[in-house]
Amino acid sequence: MNAESDERKVVAATSAPGSATGDERTAERELGSRAPRYIRASRVLHLSWQVGIFVVGLAVVGAGIVMLPLPGPGWLVIFGGMAIWATEFVWAQLVLRWTRRKVTEAAQRALDPKVRRRNIILTTLGLLIVAVLVGIYVWKFGIVMPWKIDQ
């Protein structure tokens, strides 16, 4: 379970100096452990801290996986578990960074006018096909209520 939490790295962001985002986005958060300094000072305490974070994150991710087929916010809980892991493990920080970048790219693609127009056309076509199929079914079999009303 080598998390490389003792090695810290700083990854510079691609924002230009003096841009509208300001100084808060000039550098991304540094990679590595976010445990308190007194915990990182002791190797045994830090390893215990990492095991605890791993177990809690695993429980949250497991609950999210269970919620995928069951009612509940499955993906949201899974990403919450990954965020818990990211407080301590570099690999989880990198996964969350990659996920955030991909979600941002997907959102930008979804707002593209060509993609929106295509999605609207495909949705309209799908609804038209469903309406025709329902119309054929009603014409052939009629509307039958699941209960009988005696008057």
Side-chain angles (χ1 to χ4, degrees):
M1 186 163 66
N2 184 6
E4 299 179 20
S5 60
D6 294 334
E7 298 177 22
R8 297 194 172 252
K9 303 172 189 172
V10 177
V11 178
T14 58
S15 65
S19 64
T21 58
D23 290 328
E24 69 265 2
R25 296 293 295 171
T26 56
E28 291 189 22
R29 292 185 65 129
E30 57 186 31
L31 297 175
S33 175
R34 292 188 180 91
R37 189 175 311 243
Y38 69 91
I39 289 178
R40 284 181 288 166
S42 170
R43 180 76 177 143
V44 173
L45 191 57
H46 191 224
L47 187 59
S48 301
W49 178 269
Q50 285 182 329
V51 169
I53 293 293
F54 184 79
V55 169
V56 170
L58 186 64
V60 173
V61 168
I65 290 172
V66 168
M67 286 185 206
L68 287 176
L70 298 176
W75 285 110
L76 186 65
V77 174
I78 290 173
F79 289 131
M82 289 297 295
I84 290 171
W85 278 338
T87 62
E88 194 58 36
F89 302 109
V90 174
W91 60 267
Q93 293 168 3
L94 295 175
V95 167
L96 280 179
R97 208 177 268 178
W98 178 83
T99 304
R100 187 177 301 126
R101 188 174 61 245
K102 290 299 179 182
V103 166
T104 303
E105 290 172 4
Q108 289 173 349
R109 278 195 310 266
L111 294 176
D112 182 25
K114 292 179 182 178
V115 174
R116 290 184 68 184
R117 186 172 30 255
R118 183 198 65 199
N119 289 346
I120 289 172
I121 290 171
L122 289 175
T123 302
T124 305
L125 185 63
L127 289 174
L128 184 64
I129 290 171
V130 168
V132 167
L133 291 175
V134 168
I136 291 172
Y137 179 84
V138 169
W139 173 71
K140 185 159 179 105
F141 299 106
I143 298 177
V144 178
M145 296 294 170
W147 59 85
K148 292 186 176 190
I149 302 174
D150 294 329
Q151 294 183 4

Coordinates of all heavy atoms in Angstrom, one line a residue, residues 7-11 13 19 21 26 33 35 37-38 45 47 51 54 62 75-76 81 88 93 102 124 138 142:
E7 N 6.0 12.0 -0.5 CA 6.5 12.8 -1.5 C 5.4 13.7 -2.0 O 4.4 13.3 -2.4 CB 6.9 11.9 -2.7 CG 8.0 10.9 -2.3 CD 8.4 10.0 -3.5 OE1 8.1 10.4 -4.7 OE2 8.9 8.9 -3.3
R8 N 5.8 15.0 -2.0 CA 4.8 16.0 -2.4 C 5.2 16.6 -3.7 O 6.3 16.8 -4.0 CB 4.7 17.1 -1.3 CG 4.2 16.5 0.0 CD 3.8 17.7 0.8 NE 3.2 17.1 2.0 CZ 1.9 17.2 2.2 NH1 1.1 17.8 1.4 NH2 1.3 16.6 3.3
K9 N 4.2 16.8 -4.5 CA 4.4 17.4 -5.9 C 3.4 18.5 -6.1 O 2.3 18.5 -5.6 CB 4.2 16.3 -6.9 CG 5.1 15.1 -6.8 CD 4.6 14.0 -7.7 CE 5.3 12.7 -7.4 NZ 4.8 11.6 -8.2
V10 N 3.8 19.5 -6.8 CA 3.0 20.6 -7.2 C 2.8 20.6 -8.7 O 3.8 20.6 -9.4 CB 3.5 21.9 -6.6 CG1 2.6 23.1 -7.1 CG2 3.6 21.9 -5.1
V11 N 1.6 20.6 -9.2 CA 1.4 20.6 -10.6 C 0.8 22.0 -10.9 O -0.2 22.4 -10.4 CB 0.3 19.5 -11.0 CG1 0.1 19.5 -12.4 CG2 0.9 18.2 -10.5
A13 N -1.0 24.8 -13.0 CA -2.2 24.8 -13.8 C -1.9 25.6 -15.1 O -0.8 26.3 -15.2 CB -3.4 25.5 -13.1
S19 N -5.3 36.3 -15.5 CA -6.6 35.9 -16.1 C -7.7 36.1 -15.1 O -7.5 36.5 -14.0 CB -6.6 34.4 -16.5 OG -6.4 33.6 -15.4
T21 N -9.6 34.2 -13.6 CA -9.7 33.2 -12.5 C -8.9 33.6 -11.3 O -9.2 33.2 -10.2 CB -9.3 31.8 -12.9 OG1 -7.9 31.9 -13.3 CG2 -10.1 31.3 -14.0
T26 N -3.9 29.4 -9.9 CA -2.6 29.4 -10.5 C -1.9 28.1 -10.4 O -1.0 27.7 -11.2 CB -1.7 30.6 -10.0 OG1 -1.6 30.4 -8.6 CG2 -2.3 31.9 -10.4
S33 N -0.5 13.3 1.0 CA -1.3 13.2 2.2 C -1.8 14.6 2.7 O -1.0 15.6 2.8 CB -0.5 12.5 3.3 OG -1.3 12.5 4.5
A35 N -3.1 14.6 5.8 CA -3.2 14.3 7.3 C -2.5 15.5 8.0 O -1.6 16.1 7.6 CB -2.6 13.0 7.6
R37 N -0.1 17.4 10.5 CA 1.4 17.3 10.6 C 1.8 16.3 11.7 O 2.8 15.6 11.5 CB 2.0 18.7 10.8 CG 3.5 18.7 10.7 CD 4.0 20.2 10.9 NE 3.2 21.0 10.0 CZ 3.7 21.7 8.9 NH1 5.0 21.6 8.7 NH2 2.9 22.4 8.2
Y38 N 1.1 16.4 12.9 CA 1.5 15.5 13.9 C 1.3 14.0 13.6 O 2.0 13.2 14.1 CB 0.9 15.9 15.3 CG -0.6 15.6 15.3 CD1 -1.1 14.4 15.8 CD2 -1.5 16.6 14.9 CE1 -2.5 14.2 15.8 CE2 -2.9 16.4 15.0 CZ -3.4 15.2 15.4 OH -4.7 15.0 15.5
L45 N 1.7 6.0 13.3 CA 0.4 6.7 13.3 C -0.1 7.1 11.9 O -1.3 7.0 11.6 CB 0.6 8.0 14.2 CG -0.7 8.8 14.5 CD1 -1.6 7.9 15.3 CD2 -0.3 10.0 15.4
L47 N 0.6 5.4 9.1 CA 0.1 4.2 8.5 C -1.2 3.8 9.0 O -2.1 3.4 8.2 CB 1.1 3.1 8.7 CG 0.9 1.8 7.9 CD1 0.8 2.0 6.4 CD2 1.9 0.7 8.3
V51 N -4.7 3.4 6.8 CA -5.6 2.3 6.8 C -7.0 2.7 7.2 O -8.0 2.2 6.6 CB -5.0 1.2 7.8 CG1 -6.1 0.1 8.1 CG2 -3.7 0.6 7.3
F54 N -8.6 4.4 4.2 CA -8.8 3.4 3.2 C -10.1 2.6 3.5 O -11.0 2.4 2.6 CB -7.7 2.4 3.0 CG -7.9 1.4 1.9 CD1 -7.7 1.8 0.6 CD2 -8.3 0.1 2.1 CE1 -7.9 0.9 -0.5 CE2 -8.6 -0.8 1.1 CZ -8.4 -0.4 -0.2
G62 N -18.3 1.0 -1.5 CA -19.1 -0.2 -1.5 C -20.6 0.1 -1.4 O -21.4 -0.5 -2.1
W75 N -23.6 6.9 -8.1 CA -22.4 7.5 -8.6 C -22.0 8.6 -7.7 O -20.7 8.8 -7.5 CB -22.6 8.0 -10.0 CG -22.6 6.9 -11.0 CD1 -23.7 6.4 -11.7 CD2 -21.5 6.0 -11.4 NE1 -23.3 5.4 -12.5 CE2 -22.0 5.1 -12.3 CE3 -20.2 6.0 -11.0 CZ2 -21.2 4.1 -12.9 CZ3 -19.4 5.0 -11.5 CH2 -19.9 4.1 -12.5
L76 N -22.9 9.4 -7.1 CA -22.5 10.4 -6.2 C -21.8 9.9 -5.0 O -20.8 10.4 -4.5 CB -23.7 11.2 -5.8 CG -23.5 12.5 -5.0 CD1 -22.7 13.5 -5.8 CD2 -24.8 13.0 -4.5
G81 N -16.7 8.6 -1.9 CA -15.7 7.6 -1.4 C -14.4 7.9 -2.0 O -13.3 7.8 -1.4
E88 N -5.9 11.2 1.2 CA -4.7 10.5 1.6 C -3.8 9.9 0.5 O -2.6 9.8 0.7 CB -5.1 9.4 2.6 CG -4.0 8.9 3.4 CD -3.2 10.0 4.2 OE1 -3.8 10.9 4.7 OE2 -2.0 9.8 4.3
Q93 N -6.3 11.0 -5.9 CA -6.3 12.4 -6.3 C -6.2 12.5 -7.9 O -6.8 13.3 -8.5 CB -5.1 13.1 -5.7 CG -5.3 13.2 -4.2 CD -4.0 13.7 -3.5 OE1 -3.0 13.9 -4.1 NE2 -4.1 13.7 -2.2
K102 N -12.7 15.1 -17.5 CA -13.5 14.4 -18.4 C -15.0 15.0 -18.3 O -15.7 15.1 -19.4 CB -13.5 12.9 -18.3 CG -12.2 12.3 -18.7 CD -11.9 12.5 -20.1 CE -10.6 11.9 -20.6 NZ -10.3 12.2 -22.0
T124 N -36.7 13.7 -30.7 CA -38.0 13.9 -31.4 C -38.4 12.6 -32.2 O -39.5 12.1 -32.2 CB -38.0 15.1 -32.2 OG1 -37.6 16.2 -31.4 CG2 -39.3 15.4 -32.9
V138 N -53.1 0.6 -29.6 CA -54.4 1.1 -29.2 C -55.4 0.8 -30.3 O -56.5 0.4 -30.1 CB -54.4 2.6 -28.8 CG1 -55.8 3.1 -28.6 CG2 -53.6 2.8 -27.5
G142 N -57.3 -1.8 -28.6 CA -58.1 -0.8 -27.8 C -57.5 -0.6 -26.4 O -56.5 -1.1 -26.0

